[in-house]
Amino acid sequence: MDSSWQARRSGAEPARPGDRRNPWQRDRARILHSAAFRRLQSKTQIMNVGENDFYRTRLTHSLEAAQIGSSLINHLKRGANETIAALLPDENLMEALCLAHDIGHPPFGHGGETALNYKMLSSGGFEGNGQTFRIVGKLEAYHQEHGMDLCRRTLLGLLKYPVLMPSLPSPESRYPRSLAPWKPAKAIFESESDLLAWVLEPLSESDKGQFQQVDTMNKAPWQQSKFKSFDASMMELADDIAYGVHDLEDAVVTGTLNELQWHADMDAHLATLSKPLRELVESLSQQLFSNKHHLRKNAIGALVNVFVTAVQTHEVLPEAESHLIRYNTWLPDEERTLLNALKAVVFKHVIHQPAIQQLRYRSQNMLMQLFDAFHAEPTRLLPKNTQTRWQEAFDRGGQAAADRVLCDYISGMTDDYAERMYHRLFA
């Protein structure tokens, strides 16, 4: 692997006597000890924090994704050809990517993300992965200018959407009738264009052109990038598996999903699977709804194993010179169908339930009102250090740059802190 992928933007490693860690171990440690990572303990995964003491938060979800990411590497090592064996990331690198993949998410999950995006339409938009890239590359206080100052390959692996934000439509009103049509574009903010250019610098112009292709749409999310790097594809699979299986466990344990609902939604999907996989999942579903906890845990672990051991590698850009973008990992069609069905069950019986949607509606309006208040009187209401950053950004880049700082502040809040701030200002 070209040594340029281990480079940091600052150009140097910290001089610490006796430190024998490799670059990926350092990156993992920087993420693990960051304030942005700690805040995940009080950010919504699916059900609101504080509603129950069992289910996952963004923090526990990220830890589980990291474990699955390591398992994917161990699986792919077996039988890998020389090219793939050389390409596989260090386990510390994969864990770093999985631990960091959600640190840009705002309070209240994807509902909060859409609310902030609506408020930022005139100032470059908002998107969780774009905010993750901004945090690790500029905001966290490990380096005066470069955030966590992570290695170039780590930053590439965090880029789920390696393209810049498109031009966005103007907001229709201060508060739209529905936020549903305003889901964020999947992209990196213009404010990080210099960092994106630095990350992609080792790629040839031809590779950059292929890698940064997009599909454009005439409705939200407006565009979708077509490709991601090898490491990012593996991180996204770990995220998908953790979401599809472990959030299913939350739904079962809390009684949000019962056995009758499971069969009503899943039987038709299971009928499309090959006989061995169908029979395995049918057997595991009996354990999943057993009142014996150890059987349920066995079913959850076995489902994770189904997906991890099915993952394969393939070429997505055969003409690319760099193997980091030439290859991706993927789930075969049958396992992908099953995982998508699990995610759909969680969406229908958890996320889309009126009680959850009512909380989402409430939290979205809280964030939009917080944004309005801080936007109207930033030098009166923002904390002193954020006021300083806001003023510097305004002097340097005008209102759009200042709004980005304001969005940094709100998106960095935990659910609990955002709720307290709202009550302080409005209750």
Side-chain angles (χ1 to χ4, degrees):
M1 183 60 61
D2 186 338
S3 61
S4 63
W5 291 108
Q6 292 189 16
R8 301 183 190 277
R9 205 172 181 199
S10 66
E13 290 286 351
R16 292 179 179 169
D19 188 352
R20 304 299 181 191
R21 294 175 298 170
N22 67 33
W24 322 120
Q25 289 172 316
R26 291 192 181 97
D27 283 0
R28 181 182 182 276
R30 292 179 185 190
I31 292 163
L32 194 60
H33 295 289
S34 68
F37 181 74
R38 288 196 300 277
R39 290 190 186 105
L40 296 178
Q41 67 186 305
S42 190
K43 287 194 176 186
T44 293
Q45 172 63 10
I46 290 183
M47 300 179 188
N48 281 33
V49 172
E51 293 290 315
N52 189 291
D53 63 0
F54 175 84
Y55 52 67
R56 273 81 179 172
T57 64
R58 288 274 173 195
L59 179 66
T60 56
H61 162 74
S62 298
L63 292 170
E64 289 171 334
Q67 186 273 321
I68 292 171
S70 294
S71 297
L72 288 175
I73 293 175
N74 290 328
H75 163 68
L76 291 171
K77 280 180 180 177
R78 298 171 184 167
N81 61 35
E82 186 176 339
T83 299
I84 299 302
L87 186 59
L88 284 171
D90 183 285
E91 282 189 35
N92 291 284
L93 170 55
M94 181 48 52
E95 288 190 8
L97 298 180
C98 293
L99 292 173
H101 81 280
D102 268 353
I103 62 174
H105 268 284
F108 311 120
H110 288 291
E113 181 185 38
T114 302
L116 283 181
N117 179 60
Y118 186 78
K119 286 299 179 182
M120 288 291 291
L121 286 173
S122 300
S123 301
F126 179 83
E127 195 277 329
N129 188 247
Q131 188 68 15
T132 293
F133 195 62
R134 180 168 168 81
I135 288 170
V136 299
K138 292 190 176 178
L139 299 184
E140 270 288 345
Y142 281 79
H143 189 277
Q144 186 174 354
E145 298 174 356
H146 305 308
M148 294 187 194
D149 196 27
L150 303 178
C151 292
R152 182 183 264 121
R153 180 168 176 174
T154 307
L155 292 171
L156 180 69
L158 286 172
L159 283 171
K160 291 173 68 174
Y161 318 111
V163 295
L164 291 176
M165 192 70 73
S167 297
L168 299 172
S170 299
E172 58 184 21
S173 66
R174 186 180 176 197
Y175 291 96
R177 288 191 302 169
S178 171
L179 281 170
W182 301 98
K183 293 178 181 178
K186 306 299 186 181
I188 301 304
F189 309 139
E190 183 65 36
S191 55
E192 276 62 67
S193 60
D194 58 331
L195 179 59
L196 178 62
W198 181 82
V199 172
L200 301 183
E201 194 174 284
L203 300 179
S204 67
E205 291 303 313
S206 172
D207 276 9
K208 290 177 190 175
Q210 295 180 71
F211 186 51
Q212 294 188 285
Q213 295 179 61
V214 298
D215 286 324
T216 57
M217 312 170 202
N218 60 5
K219 62 179 183 179
W222 316 110
Q223 75 172 23
Q224 179 71 56
S225 57
K226 291 184 176 182
F227 302 106
K228 55 182 62 68
S229 70
F230 182 77
D231 298 345
S233 72
M234 200 181 306
M235 175 266 285
E236 191 166 51
L237 271 178
D239 180 27
D240 261 6
I241 294 169
Y243 166 65
V245 179
H246 291 131
D247 290 349
L248 170 67
E249 181 183 13
D250 283 0
V252 172
V253 172
T254 58
T256 313
L257 174 69
N258 62 43
E259 193 168 4
L260 287 176
Q261 293 167 327
W262 165 270
H263 285 295
D265 288 317
M266 288 297 297
D267 285 355
H269 294 292
L270 296 183
T272 67
L273 305 179
S274 63
K275 184 178 180 181
L277 182 56
R278 182 179 72 251
E279 291 180 345
L280 173 60
V281 177
E282 287 173 346
S283 173
L284 293 176
S285 68
Q286 295 176 17
Q287 296 182 32
L288 185 64
F289 291 96
S290 170
N291 57 8
K292 296 180 179 179
H293 298 325
H294 70 281
L295 293 179
R296 185 180 63 246
K297 293 304 296 184
N298 178 70
I300 292 298
L303 281 172
V304 170
N305 184 68
V306 165
F307 299 119
V308 168
T309 56
V311 171
Q312 301 174 18
T313 61
H314 69 146
E315 285 185 316
V316 290
L317 287 171
E319 304 300 318
E321 300 166 37
S322 172
H323 287 176
L324 275 175
I325 65 168
R326 182 172 182 170
Y327 294 95
N328 270 192
T329 55
W330 70 297
L331 270 176
D333 291 344
E334 190 171 54
E335 286 77 12
R336 172 51 68 183
T337 296
L338 175 59
L339 183 56
N340 287 346
L342 296 183
K343 292 164 66 176
V345 165
V346 172
F347 181 83
K348 178 178 179 180
H349 293 286
V350 182
I351 299 172
H352 201 59
Q353 285 302 299
I356 297 295
Q357 289 302 312
Q358 288 161 10
L359 288 171
R360 174 174 286 197
Y361 179 83
R362 173 179 175 271
S363 62
Q364 287 177 319
N365 279 280
M366 284 170 50
L367 289 190
M368 290 195 291
Q369 289 180 61
L370 284 175
F371 189 98
D372 285 346
F374 292 130
H375 184 271
E377 300 199 55
T379 58
R380 179 186 179 193
L381 300 178
L382 288 172
K384 288 295 184 183
N385 60 337
T386 309
Q387 284 186 32
T388 300
R389 289 186 57 232
W390 183 94
Q391 191 64 60
E392 290 173 350
F394 185 85
D395 293 342
R396 183 177 63 251
Q399 189 63 58
D403 282 350
R404 182 61 61 192
V405 172
L406 170 54
C407 195
D408 291 339
Y409 175 57
I410 297 176
S411 68
M413 294 177 178
T414 63
D415 295 17
D416 294 338
Y417 186 86
E419 182 111 20
R420 289 197 303 272
M421 180 61 72
Y422 177 82
H423 283 284
R424 186 180 302 166
L425 293 177
F426 297 106

